[in-house]
């Protein structure tokens, strides 16, 4: 039967005919595949959005199953070839092995293309293709089955045919299902992404959510979801909008709400006790902690299999196989073990980092929420700088902790497993190694305790330094005006040296720790082998290298012990500080506001016999026995001398001051205008709207009522002009009017206005009074604190306060007739007004505008907010790869490269020592001529000597860190203190603070160790590879391409990772900025009940910062996972080489050594890459510090060759010639060619409307701004020719914003300690402050405390302190910039007399809004829009027709007389 014979030949898988058929089938498949690819490239690209490829489960299962099939065929082919080579030393015949290899490759290509690239292939072709594969595989499968049944035998070929058919079924399903899904998808794609109304959306409004949110199991395990972002980062520089948002459950809001939910549950269970914040955080995240713990456990178990496999390998190499092909099984097992180890470790680290991120977000949110509710006493305990530190440093440290959390127990577990493995290898000698490990841990205990103590001290020192730093930065203008920068800089340097002392202590303990734990594996192995010698346990290659491999694997966890201890300690200290802050007392908001039930009550306010205390002190209330009833719509004025408690009364109504007895009832909503203006950085419009929606008509009316229209015309972008932080580019009056506009726009029921007119000129004050108070707030309840008696007759009631009590409350005329105190006040006002001088002043008619008039006069102006020329620039960040530049910058500090070289050299010697040690063991262990004693002694000696270099390495690292930190800090400090005022005007404080807090903290503690450890880890990694390659050179065929691949992959990674880390830095500044602003404006935020909006903004900023951080650490794991796969392949190849080589061609000692290094290759590679990534992240802090280390500085402080005489200025004659000033090179002129002369001893008054350039002229005199043209000559010396310190220290000034510093009264008056106590007391007497200082704190006198920003002294008292400074300095030229704006008339009168007497022969230049203040002057200089309008004696100007000064006087008198006529 020849036919049947032929048929059997066809279906027998081992015949040549069958092989030919399969080969033809493979060729046809490949030709079709090429054809389909060509088809694909000719298709038009589909229009619409480019979506990131996402794979279905079916696609993934199909691709994995078929890839494995292809790999099996490939491996089978290689194995057949290798067997043939070994047995017959020839590759012929080609049939079986070549068929398997070609079939494996074809199957791999086809299955991957069809499974994963399906959506991009032509649908008809891909379906046809999968049908053909299915049919042909089915035929082969059927024939194999038929043959197997008939011949009753099963071969590998038959099995593979059957499996191929199952793969083909999967491919067919995949093609049909996915192409159907693609049909529906394509249609929606086209319609969804067509531009709306024919316009393309210019800006994507909602950033897309991270792919991680929807990723499946395989996708998450392999970090496949990151591919799209990494690809984008490679193709272009990433920008903020490219970074996806976090998924819902990782956002700050979700984390914080979860935290609150758990907290409330705990409180309900046990209302009496304070729940532990730590327990609640653990409760919130216990599931994630358990899952990451499971992966950690899996990793430890997989890692511990290594030495056991090594032991078997050595036995196989010696020819002791337990079964055939055991070597191949071991090599494959090794690969799988390493892959599982890699997968589990990556998931463990990634999940822990994610927990850390969530904890950090919730703590930052909780701290922000808390600072909005802090009570006054708690504010004294936790300054703004400290709160900033809690967020930028402490929360950051706690966020790092979960990453290390499982290390605490996995290290112990790994040690225990290692001891078991050691016991199997060397029996009782293990006890020696256990003893050494125990001794190491015991030695570390006192070190850890000390480190905890020093870390706590360091945090306190850091707080102190930051407090001083932020105070100096906030008040930089004042420091420059007084020429006190050097004093403050030295104070900060002193605090910094104290801080560095603790940095040194902490780092030194860390260095000892590192030495202890790095040298312990060396000691442990020596102790173990020594014990073997004494216990007569024989040493062979297999047990010696099992010990060495086990210890090499335990090395990494043991080496991380110091880090773990450090991190645990830092987190504990940080956590204690944050918890203490979160448990600080809050403002009582109970028993106060009753929201209105009936409309008649809205706007009423009642206080009954209440006492209020600022410092929660019941025995000494700040306000006593307050009784007050205000009916809806009433206008109440509050007057009294400086420090009588006026502002405190408003604060008490707002519940900012705690009530110790009595009751208070308020009906309605507040609007509050504080005495010191609080302005947010942002546009003017944003400041006025303050979260409310835009109503154009209401907005225009508000601008008009607040007298802002003229100012807005002067601004380059109108109301869309960006204001600097705290309103630095606005005049005092503009800030106040923006505050007033904000209050009016809010449409509240009760308006609390704290002396808003003090900073504006008389004309504007009148306008505001008529338009704003009388008309804008008609029908509203108003409580106005004021020193301006002129307005009082218009009020329904006047409260007269003295020493914390309301002594009188009645309408104007009643008070005038009944109260002597009040009569004094009015009399003082008349005296200062000097009414006898002005006779023929016509009164101007009071005019009002209705809303419709306003709309007519104000033609709508639209401003385009161009981002180009705004004052506040976007924060800059470095872009692209800077290579080694930042590292070299770091090493160039204080000869850093010397310490660095010593450390690197020591490390190299240590690594070489270790290799020598193990080579000696490998060469001599089975050498009968070397005795066991000699073997062990040489091993120990090499170990001890190389360990000494570890100590040198650790100490030089500490030195490197300390020296570089010192140098970087000093350069930064000098640069910031020498920066011109324009830098502070355009740079938000948060940007500078985030650099001097968190970035500096990283430079202090992390950069040096990170740098050295990265070098160390990399040398270790290359040492491992070298040993592998030297012993089995065949590995080079695999490892060289793999290393090339690894380096390319790392480059690919860094393209995205660097940008992500930089974004993390800049977005951290947003969080810091917003926090700094909110701390400053907490009272205003609470008064307008805007806490929720600010909190929401804070949550958004936290997420904005968390997103780049999340993607940055995910990218880190993405890279390491791919690199670990590479190292697993290298190791498996090396193992295969050893197995394939004939037994005896390598000594078992060297096989043992190579594999013991190979097993730790994975670990050392990860350790190396991780540390390289860490230092790349840390070095960004050095980059960020470096940005502010080279700010263009002001003119020199002292010009040695050109110093003025000691007694300069003698006469005080000031000549101004053609003076032109602009704030920035591209900005318009602010002063446009002013020329005038102030004779020595003249009293000059400078007047002009708000924003006309008065304060700029003063700035020019002190060279806060350098002239753009013209010059100022004082007593014959051009002020631009001498040093700034010489200039500023010779002039006296009382600045517009009175500033006090944290410290004592003495320190505030005389920080340079140039005067005796007696002189200071005299000056206090002249400033009306003597009593206040004596009464302040029992008998402390000049040592009475002044808290941050002088918050425990009233605004008026602060201005008196500034006057005291001027009196102490006794300059020939004194400048008063709105010096008495916040002072009542009586005190003002005394002060004017004091100034006249004390500075009788000096030149006094006064900028004033109160006309009476300048009436005494010998000459008046009037400025309008930056030009000099007139300059003459006041009386002459008044009589001159059309005089600007004359008009100001008339306006002033018109409202003064209208007050009289009431």
């Amino acid at each position: 039967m020849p036919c049947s014979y032929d048929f059997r030949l066809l279906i027998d898988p081992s015949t040549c005919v069958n092989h030919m058929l399969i080969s033809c089938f493979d060729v046809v498949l490949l030709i079709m595949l090429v054809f389909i690819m060509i088809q694909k490239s000719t298709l038009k690209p589909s229009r619409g959005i480019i979506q990131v490829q996402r794979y279905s489960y079916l696609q993934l299962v199909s691709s994995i199953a078929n890839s494995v099939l292809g790999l099996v065929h490939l491996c089978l082919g290689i194995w057949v070839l290798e067997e043939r080579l070994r047995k017959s030393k020839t590759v012929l015949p080609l049939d079986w092995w070549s068929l398997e290899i070609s079939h494996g490759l074809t199957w791999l290509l086809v299955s991957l293309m069809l499974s994963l690239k399906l959506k991009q292939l032509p649908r008809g072709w891909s379906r046809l293709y999968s049908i053909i594969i299915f049919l042909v595989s089915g035929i082969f499968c059927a024939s194999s089955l038929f043959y197997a049944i008939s011949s009753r035998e099963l071969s590998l070929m038959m099995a593979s045919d059957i499996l191929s058919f199952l793969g083909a079924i999967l491919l067919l399903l995949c093609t049909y299902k996915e192409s159907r899904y693609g049909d529906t998808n394509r249609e929606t794609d086209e319609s969804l992404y067509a531009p709306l109304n024919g316009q393309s959306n210019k800006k994507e409004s909602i950033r897309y959510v991270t792919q991680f949110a929807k990723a499946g199991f395989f996708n998450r395990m392999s970090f496949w979801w990151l591919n799209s972002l990494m690809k984008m980062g490679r193709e272009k520089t990433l920008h903020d909008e490219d970074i996806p948002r976090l998924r819902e459950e990782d956002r700050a809001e979700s984390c914080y709400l979860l935290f609150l939910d758990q907290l409330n549950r705990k409180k309900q269970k046990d209302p009496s006790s304070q729940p532990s914040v730590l327990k609640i955080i653990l409760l919130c995240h216990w599931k994630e902690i358990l899952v990451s713990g499971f992966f950690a456990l899996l990793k430890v178990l997989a890692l511990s299999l290594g030495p056991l496999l090594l032991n078997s390998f050595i036995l196989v190499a010696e020819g002791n196989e337990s079964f055939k092909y055991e070597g191949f099984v071991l090599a494959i097992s090794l690969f799988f073990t390493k892959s599982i180890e890699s997968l589990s470790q990556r998931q463990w680290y990634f999940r822990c980092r994610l927990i850390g991120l969530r904890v950090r977000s919730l703590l930052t949110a909780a701290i922000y929420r808390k600072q909005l509710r802090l009570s006054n006493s708690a504010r004294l305990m936790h300054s703004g700088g400290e709160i900033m530190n809690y967020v930028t440093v402490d929360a950051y440290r706690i966020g790092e902790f979960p990453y290390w959390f499982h290390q605490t127990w996995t290290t112990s577990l790994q040690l225990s497993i290692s001891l078991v493995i050691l016991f199997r290898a060397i029996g009782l000698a293990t006890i020696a190694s256990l003893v050494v490990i125990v001794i190491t841990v015991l030695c570390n205990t006192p070190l850890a305790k000390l480190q905890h103590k020093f870390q706590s001290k360091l945090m306190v020192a850091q707080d102190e330094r930051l407090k001083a730093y932020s105070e100096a930065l906030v008040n930089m203008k004042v420091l420059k005006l007084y020429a006190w920068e050097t004093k403050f800089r030295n104070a900060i340097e002193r605090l910094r040296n104290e801080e560095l002392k603790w940095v040194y202590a902490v780092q030194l303990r860390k260095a000892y720790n590192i030495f202890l734990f790095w040298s312990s594996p060396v000691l442990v192995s020596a102790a173990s082998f020594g014990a073997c010698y004494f216990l007569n346990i024989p040493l062979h290659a297999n047990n010696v290298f099992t010990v060495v491999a086990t210890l090499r694997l335990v090395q990494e966890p043991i080496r991380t012990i110091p880090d773990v201890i450090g991190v645990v300690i830092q987190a504990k200290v940080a956590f204690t500080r944050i918890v203490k802050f979160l448990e600080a007392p809050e403002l009582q908001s109970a028993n106060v506001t009753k929201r209105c039930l009936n409309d008649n009550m809205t706007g009423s306010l009642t206080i009954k016999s209440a006492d209020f205390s600022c410092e929660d002190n019941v025995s000494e209330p700040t306000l006593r026995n307050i009784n007050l009833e205000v009916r809806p719509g009433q206008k109440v004025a509050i007057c009294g001398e400086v420090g009588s408690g006026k502002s405190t009364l408003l604060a008490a109504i707002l519940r900012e001051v705690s009530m110790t007895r009595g009751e208070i009832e308020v009906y309605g909503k507040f609007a509050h205008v504080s005495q010191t203006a609080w302005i947010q950085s942002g546009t003017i419009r944003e400041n006025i709207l303050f979260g409310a929606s835009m109503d154009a008509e209401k907005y225009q009316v508000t601008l008009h009522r607040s007298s802002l229209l003229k100012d807005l015309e002067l601004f380059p972008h109108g109301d869309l002009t960006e204001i600097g932080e705290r309103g630095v580019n606005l005049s005092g009056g503009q800030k106040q009017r923006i505050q007033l506009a904000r209050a009016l726009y809010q449409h509240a029921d009760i308006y609390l206005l704290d002396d808003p007119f003090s900073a504006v000129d008389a004309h504007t004050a009148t306008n505001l009074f008529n338009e704003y108070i009388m008309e804008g707030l008609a029908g509203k309840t108003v409580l106005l604190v004021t020193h301006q008696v002129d307005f009082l007759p218009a009020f329904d009631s006047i409260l007269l306060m003295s020493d914390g009590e309301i002594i009188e409350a009645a309408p104007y005329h009643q008070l005038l007739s009944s109260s002597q105190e009040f009569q004094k006040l009015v009399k003082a006002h008349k005296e200062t007004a000097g009414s006898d001088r002005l006779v023929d002043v016509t009164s101007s008619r009071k005019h009002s505008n209705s809303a419709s008039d306003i709309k007519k006069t104000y033609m709508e102006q639209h401003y385009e907010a161009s981002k180009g020329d705004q004052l506040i620039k976007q924060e800059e960040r470095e872009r692209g790869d800077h290579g080694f530049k930042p590292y070299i910058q770091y090493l160039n500090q204080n000869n850093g490269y010397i310490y660095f070289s010593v450390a690197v050299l020591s490390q190299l010697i240590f690594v070489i020592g270790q290799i020598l040690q193990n080579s000696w063991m490998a060469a001599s262990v089975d050498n009968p001529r070397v005795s066991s004693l000699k073997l062990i002694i040489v091993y120990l000696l090499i170990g001890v000597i190389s360990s000494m270099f570890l100590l040198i390495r650790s100490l030089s690292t500490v030195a490197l860190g300390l020296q570089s930190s010192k140098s970087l800090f000093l350069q930064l400090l000098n640069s910031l203190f020498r920066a011109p005022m324009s830098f502070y005007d355009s740079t938000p404080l948060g940007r500078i603070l985030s650099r001097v807090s968190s970035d500096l903290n990283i430079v202090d503690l992390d950069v040096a160790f990170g740098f050295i450890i990265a070098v160390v880890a990399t040398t270790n990694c290359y040492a491992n590879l070298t040993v592998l390659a030297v012993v089995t050179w065949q590995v080079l065929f695999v490892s060289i391409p793999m290393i090339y691949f690894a380096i390319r992959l790392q480059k690919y990674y860094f393209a995205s990772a660097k940008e992500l880390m930089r974004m993390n830095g800049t977005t951290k500044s947003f969080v810091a900025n917003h926090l700094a602003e909110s701390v400053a404006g907490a009272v205003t935020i609470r008064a307008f009940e805007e806490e929720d909006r600010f909190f929401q903004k804070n949550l958004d900023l936290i997420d904005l910062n968390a997103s780049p951080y999340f993607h940055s650490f995910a990218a880190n794991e993405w890279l390491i996972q791919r690199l670990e796969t590479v190292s697993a392949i290298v190791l498996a190849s090396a193992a295969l080489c050893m197995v394939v080589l004939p037994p005896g061609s390598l000594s078992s000692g060297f096989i043992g050594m190579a594999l013991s290094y190979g097993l730790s290759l994975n670990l050392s590679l990860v350790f190396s890459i991780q540390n390289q990534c860490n230092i790349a992240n840390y070095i960004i802090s050095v980059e960020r510090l470096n940005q502010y280390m080279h700010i263009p500085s002001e003119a020199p402080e002292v010009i040695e060759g050109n110093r003025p005489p000691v007694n300069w200025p003698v006469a005080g004659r000031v000549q101004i010639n053609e003076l032109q000033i602009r704030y920035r090179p591209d900005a318009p002129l602010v002063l446009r060619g002013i020329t005038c002369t102030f004779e020595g001893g003249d009293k000059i008054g400078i007047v002009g409307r708000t924003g006309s350039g008065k304060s700029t002229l003063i700035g020019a005199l002190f060279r806060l701004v350098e002239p753009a043209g013209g010059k100022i000559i004082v007593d014959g010396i051009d002020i631009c020719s001498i040093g700034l310190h010489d200039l500023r220290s010779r002039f006296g000034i009382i600045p517009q914003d009175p500033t006090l510093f944290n410290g004592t009264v003495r320190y505030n008056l005389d920080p340079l300690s140039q005067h005796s106590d007696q002189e200071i007391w005299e000056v206090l007497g002249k400033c009306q402050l003597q009593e206040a200082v004596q009464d302040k704190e029992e008998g402390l006198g000049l040592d009475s405390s002044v808290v941050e920003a002088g918050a425990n002294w009233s605004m008026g008292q602060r201005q008196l302190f500034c006057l005291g400074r001027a009196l102490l300095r006794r300059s020939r030229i004194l400048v008063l910039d709105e010096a008495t704006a916040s002072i009542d008339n009586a005190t003002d009168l005394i002060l004017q007399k004091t100034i006249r007497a004390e500075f009788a022969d000096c030149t006094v230049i006064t900028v004033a809004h109160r006309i009476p203040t300048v009436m005494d002057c010998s000459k008046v200089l009037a400025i309008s829009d930056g030009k000099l309008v007139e300059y003459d004696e006041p009386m002459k100007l008044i009589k001159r027709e059309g005089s600007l000064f004359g008009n100001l006087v008339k306006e002033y008198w018109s409202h003064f007389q209208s007050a009289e006529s009431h």
Side-chain angles (χ1 to χ4, degrees), residues 751-770:
Y751 281 77
L752 305 175
L753 313 177
D754 196 351
D755 202 8
F757 302 144
S758 60
V760 296
D761 56 79
H763 168 67
T764 315
T766 312
N767 257 0
L768 282 174
F769 183 72
N770 293 332

Side-chain angles (χ1 to χ4, degrees), residues 1206-1225:
V1206 183
N1207 58 352
W1208 178 86
V1210 185
R1213 184 169 189 266
V1214 181
Q1215 289 168 275
I1216 302 176
N1217 298 333
E1218 285 301 323
L1219 181 67
Q1220 295 179 329
I1221 295 281
R1222 55 162 56 93
Y1223 278 109
R1224 296 193 308 289

Side-chain angles (χ1 to χ4, degrees), residues 214-260:
K214 298 174 195 154
F217 177 72
F218 291 112
N219 203 332
R220 283 190 184 188
M221 294 302 281
S222 60
F223 295 97
W224 202 260
W225 54 271
L226 250 184
N227 289 0
S228 53
L229 186 68
M230 302 303 280
K231 191 176 172 197
M232 190 193 294
R234 181 86 179 101
E235 286 162 2
K236 63 168 203 157
T237 302
L238 289 177
H239 296 286
D240 294 347
E241 59 275 8
D242 297 326
I243 311 301
R245 296 172 61 201
L246 295 174
R247 55 185 189 152
E248 192 61 47
E249 59 266 42
D250 298 329
R251 291 184 200 156
E253 187 167 16
S254 313
C255 299
Y256 182 66
L257 290 176
L258 181 66
F259 173 73
L260 279 190

Side-chain angles (χ1 to χ4, degrees), residues 653-794:
I653 294 170
L654 286 170
R655 305 302 285 131
E656 291 294 324
V657 182
S658 56
M659 180 166 68
T660 50
R661 80 180 175 103
E663 55 182 277
I664 173 168
E665 283 181 14
V666 178
Y667 297 93
K669 191 170 163 257
F670 287 123
H672 174 239
V673 174
S674 56
Q675 194 170 11
T676 10
W678 175 69
I679 304 286
Q680 282 180 279
S681 42
T683 63
I684 295 177
R685 181 181 293 178
E686 285 165 358
N687 268 284
I688 294 174
L689 295 180
F690 205 55
S693 54
M694 177 67 163
D695 169 346
E697 188 178 329
K698 180 175 158 190
Y699 183 68
Q700 291 308 339
V701 172
T702 303
L703 291 180
H704 169 77
R705 297 251 185 256
S706 313
S707 309
L708 275 170
L709 293 176
K710 192 158 185 297
D711 300 85
L712 290 186
E713 286 164 22
L714 299 175
F715 286 127
H717 307 290
D719 65 347
L720 294 176
T721 303
E722 296 251 351
I723 308 177
E725 198 172 24
R726 303 183 310 284
V728 284
N729 47 340
L730 299 174
S731 73
Q734 286 165 336
K735 284 191 249 187
Q736 273 300 10
R737 296 206 303 281
I738 287 174
Q739 281 213 106
L740 286 165
R742 178 203 296 156
L744 181 60
Y745 193 82
Q746 292 304 312
H747 197 67
D749 306 309
I750 302 173
Y751 281 77
L752 305 175
L753 313 177
D754 196 351
D755 202 8
F757 302 144
S758 60
V760 296
D761 56 79
H763 168 67
T764 315
T766 312
N767 257 0
L768 282 174
F769 183 72
N770 293 332
E771 294 283 345
Y772 187 95
I773 306 260
M774 301 316 287
E775 288 182 24
L777 299 181
K780 303 279 185 192
T781 308
V782 180
L783 279 85
L784 171 80
V785 170
T786 185
H787 293 303
Q788 305 192 319
V789 175
D790 340 337
F791 300 135
L792 295 181

Side-chain angles (χ1 to χ4, degrees), residues 1149-1382:
F1150 277 104
I1151 285 188
M1153 178 174 166
L1155 283 181
S1156 70
Y1157 272 83
L1159 282 175
S1160 57
L1161 176 67
N1162 235 11
L1163 269 178
S1164 62
L1165 181 73
V1166 174
F1167 197 53
S1168 161
I1169 300 300
Q1170 246 170 348
N1171 284 292
Q1172 283 176 33
C1173 297
N1174 281 346
I1175 187 63
N1177 294 345
Y1178 292 150
I1179 209 74
I1180 284 168
S1181 291
V1182 177
E1183 271 182 12
R1184 281 166 55 79
L1185 291 183
N1186 196 53
Q1187 284 171 344
Y1188 285 175
M1189 273 161 42
H1190 306 290
I1191 306 162
S1193 67
E1194 291 186 299
E1197 293 194 325
V1198 174
I1199 298 174
E1200 282 305 337
N1202 200 2
R1203 299 200 65 168
V1206 183
N1207 58 352
W1208 178 86
V1210 185
R1213 184 169 189 266
V1214 181
Q1215 289 168 275
I1216 302 176
N1217 298 333
E1218 285 301 323
L1219 181 67
Q1220 295 179 329
I1221 295 281
R1222 55 162 56 93
Y1223 278 109
R1224 296 193 308 289
D1226 49 352
L1229 285 173
V1230 185
L1231 294 184
R1232 316 175 196 187
I1234 288 185
T1235 305
C1236 58
T1237 302
F1238 306 156
E1239 294 301 336
D1242 266 4
K1243 306 290 176 277
I1244 308 290
I1246 302 180
V1247 296
R1249 308 245 184 256
T1250 304
S1252 57
K1254 305 186 293 292
S1255 292
T1256 307
L1257 182 59
I1258 301 304
L1261 193 59
F1262 282 84
R1263 280 174 69 196
L1264 290 182
V1265 213
E1266 295 289 342
K1271 53 172 96 169
I1272 301 178
I1273 295 171
V1274 175
D1275 280 2
I1277 294 181
D1278 179 352
I1279 63 168
C1280 290
S1281 67
I1282 59 174
L1284 289 179
H1285 185 270
D1286 284 339
L1287 169 72
R1288 293 168 183 166
S1289 58
R1290 306 297 176 88
F1291 291 179
I1293 183 164
I1294 305 177
Q1296 189 169 6
D1297 299 319
T1299 306
L1300 295 189
F1301 299 96
N1302 205 350
T1304 60
V1305 169
R1306 181 191 286 104
Y1307 177 71
N1308 268 283
L1309 286 169
D1310 179 28
L1312 308 181
S1313 311
Q1314 294 169 331
H1315 304 277
S1316 67
D1317 282 11
Q1318 190 186 348
E1319 288 177 277
I1320 297 176
W1321 276 116
E1322 272 177 31
V1323 163
L1324 285 174
K1326 288 172 185 167
C1327 300
Q1328 312 296 307
L1329 277 172
Q1330 197 165 350
E1331 278 179 38
V1333 172
Q1334 284 165 344
D1335 297 349
K1336 192 71 178 175
E1337 290 169 29
E1338 295 83 47
L1340 283 179
L1342 296 181
D1343 293 317
S1344 300
S1345 66
V1346 176
V1347 301
E1348 194 177 17
N1352 55 342
W1353 298 82
S1354 79
M1355 187 78 164
Q1357 286 168 329
R1358 282 180 245 167
Q1359 265 185 332
L1360 296 178
F1361 271 114
C1362 294
L1363 173 74
R1365 289 173 191 160
L1367 290 173
L1368 275 174
R1369 191 174 265 192
R1370 299 264 162 199
S1371 310
R1372 296 291 303 180
I1373 296 179
L1374 174 68
V1375 178
L1376 308 175
D1377 191 358
E1378 314 281 354
T1380 54
S1382 304

Side-chain angles (χ1 to χ4, degrees), residues 588-600:
Q588 340 152 231
S589 51
N591 69 11
V592 53
T593 313
K594 295 192 180 167
R595 288 286 162 258
C596 226
L597 300 174
N598 59 356
D599 289 344
N600 310 338

Side-chain angles (χ1 to χ4, degrees), residues 511 515 899-907 909 945-960 1012:
F515 167 64
Y899 300 109
F900 178 70
S901 311
V902 172
V904 171
L905 203 63
S906 309
Q907 167 62 16
I909 295 172
I945 292 167
S946 55
S947 291
M948 292 328 311
F949 285 96
L950 272 182
L951 185 61
I952 297 171
R953 187 192 82 194
S954 292
L955 295 176
S956 50
T957 308
V958 174
L960 166 70
I1012 299 296

Side-chain angles (χ1 to χ4, degrees), residues 1057-1073:
K1058 282 214 160 136
E1059 294 311 314
L1060 286 167
M1061 271 322 290
R1062 287 174 182 143
M1063 276 179 217
N1064 181 29
T1066 49
T1067 50
K1068 201 189 273 184
S1069 297
F1070 297 154
V1071 179
N1073 242 345

